[in-house]
Amino acid sequence: MKHYILAKFTPGTDVQALVEPVRAIFAETLRIPGIHGLELKSSCSSRPNRYDLMIVLDMDREALPAYDVCEPHLRWKTEYGPITESKAIFDCE
């Protein structure tokens, strides 16, 4: 399945400066059995109603519980949660 995370950061956040550090955190999830791929995209639009960053993990559905409690996921939430204005999570086949 594909696990999408769309994040909108607080105004004034330098999103481009976050891309590689966020990629490094999520690259660590590739060590979890059942997680096969990672893709990050930053928005090419600065409109206020757009999200800033899309993180896509390609994973087996059974890997989701391990991902939820893994250290990189918790670090993402701890480090970037305070500057995240909103986020959306979407899973699909």
Side-chain angles (χ1 to χ4, degrees), residues 18-71:
L18 300 181
V19 172
E20 290 311 313
V22 169
R23 183 186 315 276
I25 288 173
F26 279 91
E28 294 177 32
T29 67
L30 296 171
R31 291 187 233 145
I32 297 170
I35 298 183
H36 311 291
L38 166 66
E39 184 178 359
L40 255 76
K41 298 283 186 179
S42 59
S43 178
C44 63
S45 173
S46 60
R47 292 181 178 202
N49 66 339
R50 300 294 195 265
Y51 282 81
D52 298 310
L53 188 66
M54 180 177 70
I55 303 158
V56 184
L57 290 170
D58 182 12
M59 67 170 66
D60 298 337
R61 182 183 301 255
E62 297 77 21
L64 193 55
Y67 164 76
D68 283 340
V69 298
C70 75
E71 190 276 334

